[in-house]
Amino acid sequence: YIGYEVVAGHAYNEAEYAQRLTAYYGEHAAAVQAHYPAGDYSSPSTALGTALSDFGPMIPLANCTFLRFGRDMAKHTQVFQYEFADRNAPPVMEDPGIELGAVHSAELPYFFPGFSNRSVWDGPPLAGASASLGADMIAYWASFARTGVPSAPGRPQWPAYTQENAVLRLDAGRLELFDAGSAHQCAFWRSLYPQWL
């Protein structure tokens, strides 16, 4: 979401970063700012985007929230948790000039060649390691549709989700289990929002 604001012409400075943290996190804003200091990032916009991507109350598209949902659903059915992480994915918006990472919906061209997040089907073809990742993702999803268990020949086993440190990371040239909870600072967020996480 921050990327869309930057594309629209808004660049956050450190004072605005602090103001937005207060708007999102209220009484916890100072703790969040200490944990995500703007100086540790290439810009205050990137710092804000990183914090909100890790967790934001009332923001359903956040990594620690996904892990919580997975944990809750795993009480009732098998869950296969993953994180799409190809930073070379085709862009979903005009380049905002800040690091976006692998944003929400960036994975869609891996399943639907030519998908571009626009009203026309004009996305660029995947190339190299990204094209291979697309083939692997299709194999995992097709296996899941056929058998209820995602698997891809010659690729890492994708275990049912039981813990935050064994999530499948889908990255070009590198498929592996990783510690998603640590990567997204979920222990920190749980200390502030135990009722949410």
Side-chain angles (χ1 to χ4, degrees):
Y1 302 116
I2 302 305
Y4 287 113
E5 292 178 15
V6 174
V7 164
H10 191 88
Y12 288 93
N13 59 35
E14 289 202 34
E16 289 175 302
Y17 174 54
Q19 291 169 354
R20 282 298 289 272
L21 290 178
T22 299
Y24 280 110
Y25 300 108
E27 66 182 299
H28 299 302
V32 175
Q33 188 169 6
H35 201 79
Y36 292 83
D40 285 0
Y41 299 88
S42 62
S43 69
S45 299
T46 300
L48 181 59
T50 302
L52 291 171
S53 292
D54 285 349
F55 176 75
M58 311 308 280
I59 298 175
L61 298 176
N63 288 293
C64 295
T65 306
F66 293 149
L67 295 171
R68 167 65 191 266
F69 289 162
R71 188 174 70 238
D72 288 348
M73 291 304 298
K75 295 173 185 174
H76 307 286
T77 190
Q78 275 196 316
V79 172
F80 296 91
Q81 197 88 12
Y82 73 94
E83 180 173 305
F84 178 76
D86 187 358
R87 291 179 178 269
N88 295 315
V92 299
M93 68 175 74
E94 179 184 328
D95 183 3
I98 63 171
E99 301 84 34
L100 292 176
V103 300
H104 176 63
S105 79
E107 77 283 1
L108 293 177
Y110 293 68
F111 296 109
F112 308 106
F115 183 84
S116 65
N117 270 359
R118 299 175 347 135
S119 61
V120 294
W121 207 264
D122 65 349
L126 299 175
S130 293
S132 295
L133 175 60
D136 292 338
M137 290 168 62
I138 289 170
Y140 277 122
W141 266 251
S143 169
F144 181 73
R146 279 192 312 272
T147 69
V149 176
S151 66
R155 296 299 182 224
Q157 180 183 6
W158 186 348
Y161 179 61
T162 59
Q163 53 194 1
E164 292 178 351
N165 66 356
V167 172
L168 186 65
R169 186 177 181 100
L170 300 167
D171 198 354
R174 193 175 72 198
L175 294 171
E176 62 188 3
L177 296 180
F178 85 115
D179 189 340
S182 291
H184 298 295
Q185 312 297 316
C186 296
F188 165 74
W189 292 109
R190 269 192 294 277
S191 74
L192 300 181
Y193 296 93
Q195 74 279 21
W196 294 71
L197 299 172

